Amino acid sequence: MLLWNAKWIKTMVRLFTVVMICNFAVCTFAGCGGKEEGGEEKQEAQPTKEEESTPTPIPTSTPAPTEPAKEVRTDFYISSLDEEIPSMCEYWKDYFSIGIAITKGELLNDFKGELIVQQFNSMTCGNEMKPDALLDREATKSTGTETCPVLKFDSCDEMLAFCVDNNIKMRGHTLIWHSQTPDWFFMEGYSNKPDAVFASREVMLERMENYIRLVMEYVNTTYPGVVYAWDVVNEAIAPGDGGENGMRMSDSLWYQTIGPDFVEKAFEYARKYAAPEQKLFYNDFNTYETAKRIAILELVNKIKDQGNIDGIGMQSHIGMNSPTLLDYEETIRKFGETGLEIQITELDINLDSNSEEDFMKEGTRYKRLFFTFKNLVDTGAANITNITVWGLTDEGSWLNKDGKRYPLLFNQVLETKPAFWGVLMDEGIPLY
Ligand code: 9MR
């Protein structure tokens, strides 16, 4: 308790520092903060894919007799504003890119933006590239046609430009999704009246093709080379919901207007308009549930046979104890067997306690996850190409509706948590 109070006081002092920096801009990063006590970090050598995987790939904490003793980190709360911290994307660069999902407001904050550039080489727009952000109903009603909507890109322009300026690649999230797509898009005349009727399958197929074409054309001509992967379809599988082959039906207006082949059609159109180097992904949550995993595998294998898919996105919004890492790893292995790329697209751990002990356990879970990813890559079991965390700070997480969730790698004043050091496989974080 005493420790936590001290931590809290330290945190408040930092928060005050941040506010002072924002308001008066009188000092530089280096000049503003004192050095954190203790915890001088000796980073492990960065892994390379070529390294032979041994039964104990985590570097041993026992130094060779001639080496000076290593100091094992004991302070995990380091202010990224005050001190240089190791870069996660640099550490994992021979394995996979490290991504961040972020909202525009957070990204354009100087301090967060700087930290993002240092830590991540892949970005996902939290909301700014979803259909409800891009579809312009007014313009669609006035200058669109029944089969071709009008889009606007002011929501994501600055984020794409940020990526260009800072050499960060983007995952395009998401083209076709039952959620965050306005109902009027599925209606005759784009009506938003209560008595609106569904547009026909033929009209919806044309709207879908035009939507995908317009997004890809804009992004690829205005910011060429930035988007490297598209989540073409998100969350179409929901076994038990009544759709064919385990598909989501009850709340999917895509399913209800086009029918179960809407996913295949989306991938067909996406392939038609994507730049040749862009990878096309099917993305979903709870992929480790057996029935869901089977349905996803059937779906992606069919689309793979059509030549229109490159990867599977496992969102990975997980808990502290569930799924078990065994089930989770098993799913990656099964997906890996398809030969498709695997990306962990939305990783967070729904921790609902801020005790020191639980923060350490969270660090351990992150470390074990990355240990698993590394092992799967080393052994060739899965071609994992990106790990994305769904948010920068606990405070900004989508999970944090009650203000009591701690799922991510940084706290609200941009201090590292044990979870951050777990991602870096730090020796101070226990593996079990
Ligand atoms: O992070 C997003 C949050 O800000 C939105 O309120 C929410 C609305 O659906 O979407 C969140 O992102 C979701 C992602 O796009 C798809 N997988 C689940 C994510 C968390 O809900």
Side-chain angles (χ1 to χ4, degrees), residues 126-127 130 173 177 179-180 234-235 315 317 346 390 398:
N127 288 305
K130 292 173 179 173
H173 176 81
W177 191 21
S179 181
Q180 290 188 269
N234 198 34
E235 303 173 5
Q315 291 187 10
H317 297 290
E346 307 186 13
W390 200 254
W398 73 287

Side-chain angles (χ1 to χ4, degrees), residues 388-430:
T388 290
V389 282
W390 200 254
L392 183 68
T393 66
D394 287 342
E395 192 191 28
S397 164
W398 73 287
L399 290 165
N400 223 338
K401 297 181 182 87
D402 61 3
K404 293 179 186 151
R405 307 287 148 160
Y406 306 89
L408 295 167
L409 311 180
F410 294 89
N411 68 19
Q412 68 271 31
V413 286
L414 305 186
E415 284 176 333
T416 60
K417 290 168 55 194
F420 170 83
W421 300 102
V423 169
L424 288 169
M425 312 296 279
D426 191 273
E427 278 182 90
I429 304 293

Side-chain angles (χ1 to χ4, degrees), residues 68-133:
K70 271 181 195 163
E71 204 179 324
V72 175
R73 170 173 294 283
T74 53
D75 185 359
F76 301 101
Y77 302 88
I78 308 297
S79 171
S80 66
L81 299 175
D82 297 345
E83 290 188 41
E84 256 198 43
I85 54 172
S87 161
M88 293 185 289
C89 63
E90 180 60 27
Y91 183 84
W92 286 110
K93 71 172 191 281
D94 291 328
Y95 277 80
F96 24 68
S97 57
I98 300 291
I100 174 83
I102 196 82
T103 57
K104 181 159 80 172
E106 286 191 287
L107 181 65
L108 301 181
N109 167 304
D110 285 350
F111 301 104
K112 291 181 179 172
E114 180 150 334
L115 180 58
I116 285 167
V117 171
Q118 182 200 67
Q119 294 293 329
F120 302 97
N121 49 8
S122 170
M123 184 186 294
T124 305
C125 294
N127 288 305
E128 295 77 357
M129 219 186 251
K130 292 173 179 173
D132 62 356

